[in-house]
Amino acid sequence: PDPPFGSGRNSPTMVYLAMVAKGDVVIYEAKLPGPSTTKNPPENQLQFIVHQALDSLDQKIKSNSHMYLKEVDRFNNMPVSAFVTAGHVKFLLLYHAGTLEDGAIKQFFTELYKNYVKVCMNPFYLKNTPISSAIFADRIYMLARNYFLR
Amino acid sequence: MLEPNPVTTTIAKSSTAEPSPIREKREVAYSALRFTHFELIELCRRSCRGDSKKARGKMEAIGVQIGARLAERYTSVLARLTEQLDIIKFICKEFWISIFRKQADKLQTNYLGVYVLHDYRMPWISRLSNSAEELQKAHEMIALAVGIIRGALENMGTKVKVTCEIVAIPRCQFTIVDKASLPANNSSGGTKKTNGIGS
C-alpha cells in the first residue's frame, strides 16, 4: 500500500521496506526516502526481490542468534538487509549498495522494532494482520528520513 | 505504584500514550490488576452461562492474545533465542517475574519436548484456602495464566499444549508439551526435537 501522504513530499524514494510476519504474511511495506540514486527497479519487482531474500534469511536465522543480520541476499547490486525479532517477525530492507551504512540501518531497525512493539500492544490490532495505522506509517517515514538521508 | 490513569494496566498497555516530559516506567497498582482479573473471570462465567469449562476456554483464549503481546514486548531487549530450552528458561525467569513478580521455582524436562514448571507460591491463588470447593475457583484463575504462557510460546515459534495442575493451594505445576514432539505413533520415541522456526 502506498504511504498515505500523497505527492506532497518529493524526495526520491529509494529504499524499500517490507515487514513479514509468520507464515510469510506481509504486514507492512513502504518505499522510504533514501539517498537519491537513479534506476529504481520497477515496483512489481521489489516484492519479488524481497520474497526471494526470505529463503536465504530463513537459513541464516537457524545459525545466527543475532537480531540484526547484515545482508542476507543481493540482487543486481542491491543488497537486502534483515532484522528478525524473537516473535519471528522479519523486517527486510532493500537499498542500493554503498548508499547506506550498517550503523544507520541497525539503528533504523531498532527504532522500527520499538514502533512495531507499540503497534502490537494495541488490543485492537490482531497479530499477523496488515498494519494500517497512518501514525505508524508517518513515524517510519520520519525514521527513514532521519537515518537514511544524510 | 499508583498511576493517575487507571485504564492502562501492566498487562495490556494501549499504544496511544501522550508523550510525558519525564520518561519514567509506568506502573499500575497491583490491586487494580487483581480486581480486573476477578471481574474478567466473572464476565467470562456469565457469558458462558455458568459452564465452567467453556469459561476457562475463553479465559485461555484471552490469555493467548495477552501472552503473544507480552512476549513480543519483553523479548525486545534480549538476543534471539534459538534453543527451545532457552525459550522455556526465559519464560521461567524474566516472563514470570514480569507477570507474577517472582521466578518460577522449578523446571523439569525430559528433553523430548515435555517441560514441567513448578511454582510453589503462585501469587494469583495464594489467597485461596486449601479446600475442594476453592479448587474450582483456583482453576478459573489459573486459566488466564495458562493462556498467557501458551500465547508467549506460540509467538516465539513453538506450538505447545499447556495444562496446569493445582497440587495444593498455592502450589501448582504447568505442563508444557511441545506438539511437534507428541508421538504420532510408537516409532518416534527418542528423537530430540529442536525448536520449529517459522511457519
Side-chain angles (χ1 to χ4, degrees):
Chain A
D2 274 326
F5 22 82
S7 58
R9 313 188 190 192
N10 284 329
S11 42
T13 56
M14 217 14 259
V15 175
Y16 177 69
L17 168 77
M19 293 169 61
V20 182
K22 265 214 255 182
D24 292 346
V25 170
V26 174
I27 53 179
Y28 187 73
E29 52 176 358
K31 295 196 290 292
L32 298 172
S36 70
T37 323
T38 52
K39 288 196 295 184
N40 303 356
E43 270 201 46
N44 49 357
Q45 268 195 23
L46 292 174
Q47 288 192 338
F48 279 116
I49 300 171
V50 163
H51 196 262
Q52 175 190 328
L54 282 177
D55 286 334
S56 15
L57 175 60
D58 277 339
Q59 281 180 340
K60 286 216 174 156
I61 286 179
K62 292 200 176 120
S63 53
N64 197 339
S65 77
H66 291 142
M67 284 192 163
Y68 172 54
L69 305 162
K70 297 208 177 78
E71 184 192 307
V72 297
D73 199 16
R74 197 166 253 262
F75 174 80
N76 280 2
N77 202 31
M78 300 185 64
V80 178
S81 188
F83 183 95
V84 185
T85 71
H88 296 292
V89 178
K90 307 161 186 141
F91 308 152
L92 293 133
L93 197 70
L94 174 71
Y95 56 100
H96 280 281
T99 53
L100 295 180
E101 309 154 356
D102 258 355
I105 301 181
K106 181 169 187 177
Q107 283 178 327
F108 172 74
F109 275 143
T110 319
E111 293 291 318
L112 178 60
Y113 188 25
K114 286 191 196 152
N115 277 300
Y116 171 68
V117 169
K118 283 195 192 136
V119 168
C120 270
M121 288 295 115
N122 183 357
F124 291 125
Y125 171 67
L126 198 58
K127 292 209 84 173
N128 290 3
T129 53
I131 301 178
S132 56
S133 157
I135 299 180
F136 180 74
D138 271 343
R139 284 214 186 122
I140 303 301
Y141 187 86
M142 297 306 294
L143 282 181
R145 242 180 50 179
N146 289 342
Y147 286 115
F148 295 157
L149 292 178
R150 279 276 160 234
Chain B
M1 272 233 278
L2 268 176
E3 200 203 73
N5 182 358
V7 175
T8 58
T9 68
T10 51
I11 282 194
K13 267 207 163 93
S14 76
S15 66
T16 56
E18 311 96 77
S20 45
I22 307 170
R23 289 305 258 167
E24 60 205 16
K25 196 162 162 223
R26 300 169 69 130
E27 288 174 343
V28 167
Y30 187 62
S31 46
L33 182 63
R34 298 293 292 126
F35 287 138
T36 314
H37 183 203
F38 296 150
E39 280 310 310
L40 189 59
I41 297 177
E42 264 315 295
L43 185 71
C44 283
R45 196 187 293 158
R46 253 182 284 139
S47 77
C48 295
R49 274 173 277 266
D51 183 358
S52 169
K53 203 147 183 240
K54 245 173 94 178
R56 267 186 278 155
K58 197 161 169 179
M59 294 279 294
E60 205 178 309
I62 296 178
V64 168
Q65 292 292 318
I66 297 178
R69 297 194 160 90
L70 284 179
E72 192 72 56
R73 186 165 164 187
Y74 291 131
T75 52
S76 58
V77 291
L78 306 164
R80 250 184 331 115
L81 310 155
T82 39
E83 278 299 311
Q84 196 178 41
L85 189 58
D86 283 336
I87 292 181
I88 303 283
K89 277 200 233 167
F90 160 75
I91 299 272
C92 279
K93 296 198 183 129
E94 286 100 359
F95 207 62
W96 221 263
I97 289 182
S98 32
I99 302 179
F100 305 120
R101 300 198 299 181
K102 61 185 277 287
Q103 283 189 13
D105 292 309
K106 194 162 153 205
L107 167 65
Q108 291 173 323
T109 175
N110 71 350
Y111 292 106
L112 288 179
V114 180
Y115 304 89
V116 182
L117 272 79
H118 294 264
D119 194 336
Y120 295 143
R121 243 192 74 88
M122 173 89 179
W124 286 1
I125 55 174
S126 62
R127 301 250 172 238
L128 295 176
S129 63
N130 199 353
S131 66
E133 309 93 56
E134 300 283 307
L135 215 58
Q136 174 83 314
K137 293 206 180 112
H139 269 115
E140 285 174 355
M141 292 187 183
I142 295 285
L144 190 65
V146 167
I148 291 181
I149 298 175
R150 195 169 76 146
L153 283 170
E154 284 190 355
N155 191 49
M156 297 212 254
T158 36
K159 280 215 173 299
V160 293
K161 189 165 127 71
V162 183
T163 47
C164 176
E165 290 156 32
I166 302 181
V167 176
I169 295 176
R171 267 186 66 170
C172 59
Q173 61 186 47
F174 294 86
T175 311
I176 301 175
V177 180
D178 183 358
K179 277 192 187 158
S181 72
L182 279 177
N185 46 25
N186 315 344
S187 62
S188 67
T191 54
K192 177 166 194 259
K193 301 283 183 194
T194 51
N195 178 21
I197 295 193
S199 97

